[in-house]
Amino acid sequence: MADDSQRNFRSVYYEKVGFRGVEEKKSLEILLKDDRLDIEKLCTFSQRFPLPSMYRILVWKVLLGIIPPHHESHALVMKCRKEQYWDIHHALREPEDEVFLVIAKAMEEMVEDPVECYWLVSCFVNQLNSKHKDSLQQLPKVLEQYLNIEDNRLLMHLKACAAMSKLPYDLWFKKCFAGCLPESSLQRVWDKVISGSCKILVFVALEILLTFKMKIIALNTAEKITQFLENIPQDNTDAIVSKAVDLWRTHCGTPAHSV
């Protein structure tokens, strides 16, 4: 009788969450009976039987019960949601995973709810990879143009050291300063990116160069300059972002013209 009750309960549960096929039920039952669910099996299941979008959070919660609740879980769920075939032992070794992970780690400091955090990161990264993909590739050249306007001497020094091509562009532009700026400063930058302007990233990079001009000029190799810029002091980043926003408004005018 107990077996029948358990089977009936699961039948009702499957109906509610959309598992109506016999094959889906049997596959999920096998997973549920395991003492320790296998991540790869669960991902294979999600690939064979895609869920409607309304159940995305349910899948996320199921996976969260298996994977430790930190930024790496967001990247793994992202791969499952895209229904990509992937080897669990090499799941987080692609270049785009590094970007996702560092942005997710920063977002975790801003958003308390892990499910909300995942969807914010997912949408933010998707926006970078779709709407801003072409623009992001042009930002190093745009930075050089504005630096020439704001401080030609500094630009000449960077070129003399062969540092312009070796500045931390991935950290600044691909990762949108995640891992470079503290979260309190980062939020203000990301607000502008989300609202439609990735060019704000140029002016944050520009203001970093201008703020630490004397330190940069004192360095005489591209390697030393890059190393310093990857680990800038964190005590005045709010002021840097404020000045960057002012520069952005001065050069780009209204937000509608600042993409």
Side-chain angles (χ1 to χ4, degrees):
M1 181 64 109
D3 290 340
D4 290 338
S5 299
Q6 184 180 36
R7 184 162 54 251
N8 291 336
F9 164 76
R10 287 187 176 178
S11 297
V12 174
Y13 174 76
Y14 293 143
E15 291 292 329
K16 288 183 177 179
V17 299
F19 297 111
R20 294 186 174 85
V22 174
E23 189 175 0
E24 290 96 318
K25 295 178 184 179
K26 290 182 178 179
S27 298
L28 187 56
E29 279 188 351
I30 292 173
L31 289 174
L32 292 173
K33 287 178 180 178
D34 287 342
D35 292 334
R36 186 173 181 272
L37 292 183
D38 186 288
I39 299 174
E40 189 169 3
K41 288 180 181 179
L42 185 58
C43 292
T44 301
F45 175 84
S46 71
Q47 292 164 22
R48 291 179 61 198
F49 310 112
L51 293 177
S53 59
M54 65 184 293
Y55 301 125
R56 293 179 299 183
I57 294 180
L58 175 63
V59 171
W60 188 92
K61 287 181 177 180
V62 171
L63 283 168
L64 190 62
I66 305 165
I67 307 168
H70 51 69
H71 55 281
E72 289 190 4
S73 68
H74 298 313
L76 289 171
V77 175
M78 182 71 165
K79 284 180 175 287
C80 287
R81 187 167 68 86
K82 287 183 176 181
E83 296 178 19
Q84 296 173 339
Y85 175 78
W86 51 282
D87 180 349
I88 192 64
H89 299 295
H90 301 86
L92 301 179
R93 296 186 182 180
E94 299 298 326
E96 61 270 20
D97 295 327
E98 182 183 357
V99 174
F100 193 101
L101 286 171
V102 73
I103 290 177
K105 186 175 182 180
M107 190 72 79
E108 284 180 340
E109 300 298 321
M110 307 177 194
V111 182
E112 292 184 2
D113 182 77
V115 178
E116 181 181 354
C117 179
Y118 165 70
W119 291 111
L120 285 172
V121 175
S122 175
C123 293
F124 185 56
V125 172
N126 283 338
Q127 182 179 6
L128 293 176
N129 293 336
S130 54
K131 181 178 180 180
H132 297 314
K133 182 178 181 180
D134 294 335
S135 298
L136 288 172
Q137 296 174 356
Q138 301 300 318
L139 295 189
K141 183 183 297 184
V142 177
L143 173 61
E144 182 174 338
Q145 294 171 354
Y146 284 117
L147 182 57
N148 184 50
I149 296 172
E150 292 294 324
D151 197 319
N152 180 261
R153 180 191 172 198
L154 179 55
L155 175 61
M156 291 302 102
H157 174 73
L158 291 171
K159 286 188 172 182
C161 296
M164 277 306 296
S165 62
K166 297 181 180 179
L167 296 181
Y169 295 125
D170 284 355
L171 177 64
W172 290 350
F173 302 148
K174 284 188 179 180
K175 298 177 182 177
C176 296
F177 292 95
C180 176
L181 299 177
E183 285 68 33
S184 59
S185 302
L186 203 55
Q187 290 185 58
R188 299 172 61 195
V189 178
W190 286 4
D191 282 346
K192 298 290 186 295
V193 177
I194 291 170
S195 67
S197 175
C198 68
K199 193 176 283 187
I200 184 63
L201 302 174
V202 168
F203 293 100
V204 175
L206 177 60
E207 188 54 45
I208 287 174
L209 294 175
L210 295 176
T211 298
F212 298 108
K213 172 182 175 179
M214 300 310 298
K215 175 66 176 179
I216 294 170
I217 288 180
L219 301 173
N220 55 13
T221 69
E223 289 72 20
K224 290 180 180 178
I225 292 172
T226 301
Q227 184 178 11
F228 170 75
L229 292 173
E230 288 176 341
N231 301 278
I232 62 171
Q234 303 287 290
D235 52 355
N236 64 340
T237 55
D238 284 344
I240 289 174
V241 171
S242 294
K243 293 177 181 178
V245 172
D246 290 340
L247 281 173
W248 173 69
R249 288 171 177 162
T250 298
H251 288 285
C252 298
T254 61
H257 299 92
S258 54
V259 177

